């Protein structure tokens, strides 16, 4: 086989591994959940869920937030939200934040038990 083809195959085999290593910065807990940007993200997620499912959820509070930074252009946030109502209801939502676009996108919105 030609050396150029072997180099190309080696490059194609190593490229995905380097992308995984660069992305894997891990999840970190955000301590300040009353940050206005975090609250806005929670309100956005509830409004997006209401729009897509024709539900009438009313945002109440962000209980916990964790973040996974995927470089300087994108971050993923896992928010544990409380919504108004009896009995209390909570949801976990994953919000993708695209920094360069100043854009948020809701990846998932799932019902969870309220803690505490």
């Amino acid at each position: 086989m030609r050396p150029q083809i072997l180099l190309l195959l080696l490059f194609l085999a190593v490229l995905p591994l380097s992308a995984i290593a660069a992305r894997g910065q891990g999840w970190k807990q955000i301590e300040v959940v009353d940050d206005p940007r975090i609250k806005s993200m929670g309100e956005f997620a509830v409004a997006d869920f209401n729009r897509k499912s024709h539900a009438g959820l009313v945002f109440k509070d962000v209980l916990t937030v964790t973040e996974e930074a995927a470089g300087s252009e994108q971050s993923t946030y896992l928010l544990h939200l409380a919504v108004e109502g009896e009995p209390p209801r909570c949801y976990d939502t994953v919000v993708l934040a695209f920094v360069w676009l100043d854009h948020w996108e809701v990846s998932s919105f799932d019902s969870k038990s309220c803690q505490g």
Side-chain angles (χ1 to χ4, degrees):
M1 220 188 261
R2 293 178 140 178
Q4 294 87 352
I5 293 175
L6 289 175
L7 285 174
L8 178 63
L9 290 174
L10 179 64
F11 175 75
L12 292 175
V14 172
L15 184 63
L17 297 175
S18 64
I20 291 169
R23 180 178 166 92
Q25 298 175 9
W27 290 87
K28 67 175 181 174
Q29 185 80 26
I30 295 177
E31 301 299 326
V32 184
V33 295
D34 58 349
D35 182 302
R37 184 169 186 266
I38 298 297
K39 183 178 177 186
S40 294
M41 215 177 281
E43 291 168 343
F44 172 79
V46 171
D48 186 69
F49 178 78
N50 286 338
R51 181 181 57 82
K52 290 178 180 175
S53 65
H54 305 290
L57 298 180
V58 178
F59 173 81
K60 184 176 180 183
D61 201 11
V62 176
L63 303 175
T64 61
V65 183
T66 53
E67 174 188 20
E68 179 186 38
S72 60
E73 293 115 14
Q74 178 183 336
S75 293
T76 304
Y77 294 88
L78 172 62
L79 288 82
H80 187 67
L81 306 174
V83 297
E84 306 233 347
E86 286 297 324
R89 293 181 292 169
C90 294
Y91 292 84
D92 278 350
T93 183
V94 176
V95 178
L96 305 174
F98 300 95
V99 178
W100 77 99
L101 293 174
D102 195 29
H103 172 74
W104 295 333
E105 187 175 309
V106 177
S107 174
S108 69
F109 197 94
D110 300 312
S111 179
K112 296 290 179 185
S113 64
C114 289
Q115 302 166 350

